[in-house]
Amino acid sequence: MAKNYWLMKTEPEVFSFDDLVRERGRTTCWEGVRNYQARNLMRDTFKKGDQALIYHSNIADPGVFGVAEVVKEGYPDKYAFEQGNKYFDAKAFEKGINPWILVDVRATHRLENPVTRSAMKEMAALKNMMVLKRGARLSVQPVTAAEFKAICQRGKLKKI
DNA sequence: GCCAACGTTGGC
DNA sequence: GCCAACGTTGGC
């Protein structure tokens, strides 16, 4: 089974790549995904050892800042059923069925030169990349091996 | 801060 | 099941 590659968006004001690096074991559960398409990818397709580009969104200079690997495959997201939690899902809680899942990721590399969105747009290897398309809101996106490699080379990976 | 694109909700 | 209204995302 070939390794999968992903792009995972995060708002650095909320949780940045540096925040991930500061976590114990540089590992965290990827909280807050409340979209079924993204959920399905994490539940069905994310495999241990897959690699993910960590992308900062909703800032002046969005782009890829680091690389992480999947260290734990999909498991129930208990936060969805914790009243008062930021990611509490009242509707699901009433129904008694928790549809949400988490994966754990560990930071492995920093991009010495973060690859900004504007730089990505100029890269021929990324001309079909999902994240660059208009209105691509999916917070967890598949990335091809070629796209992953192109960004890693451009960004100069530095092992953490 | 604006607003286009998208996903979800809810009336019918 | 359709679709308008709404809330959110996220680039700019």
Side-chain angles (χ1 to χ4, degrees):
Chain A
M1 191 64 190
K3 194 199 286 189
N4 302 306
Y5 297 95
W6 307 102
L7 179 142
M8 300 173 90
K9 288 187 200 169
T10 182
E11 299 188 25
E13 302 284 310
V14 179
F15 188 83
S16 69
F17 181 72
D18 283 340
D19 290 330
L20 174 58
V21 171
R22 280 191 289 267
E23 292 281 330
R24 184 186 315 183
R26 307 188 310 271
T27 300
T28 191
C29 54
W30 202 254
E31 290 178 40
V33 172
R34 292 291 179 266
N35 166 285
Y36 286 104
Q37 217 180 325
R39 188 278 314 261
N40 291 347
L41 288 172
M42 295 202 302
R43 184 189 59 192
D44 304 332
T45 322
F46 268 59
K47 297 295 170 203
K48 210 168 170 172
D50 285 358
Q51 291 189 284
L53 303 166
I54 304 301
Y55 177 91
H56 286 178
S57 66
N58 214 8
I59 49 170
D61 252 331
V64 176
F65 285 74
V67 173
E69 68 174 339
V70 177
V71 292
K72 186 173 177 183
E73 295 177 11
Y75 63 99
D77 178 357
K78 66 183 165 74
Y79 299 114
F81 270 25
E82 260 178 37
Q83 301 200 47
N85 187 281
K86 184 177 172 188
Y87 298 113
F88 177 61
D89 182 344
K91 248 179 220 172
F93 186 70
E94 272 172 43
K95 280 198 245 169
I97 299 166
N98 184 353
W100 305 117
I101 66 126
L102 296 170
V103 297
D104 287 358
V105 296
R106 174 171 60 209
T108 58
H109 300 80
R110 184 184 299 283
L111 267 59
E112 276 197 295
N113 308 327
V115 182
T116 62
R117 183 179 179 86
S118 53
M120 289 166 72
K121 283 190 198 162
E122 315 253 298
M123 293 168 65
L126 307 184
K127 69 174 192 290
N128 295 318
M129 194 169 180
M130 186 186 292
V131 75
L132 297 181
K133 292 192 174 142
R134 230 174 130 68
R137 285 170 40 175
L138 195 60
S139 62
V140 168
Q141 305 181 356
V143 169
T144 67
E147 290 163 347
F148 184 85
K149 196 172 160 195
I151 289 177
C152 290
Q153 281 175 353
R154 174 65 173 258
K156 284 200 187 168
L157 285 201
K158 190 179 174 193
K159 205 162 187 169
I160 299 176

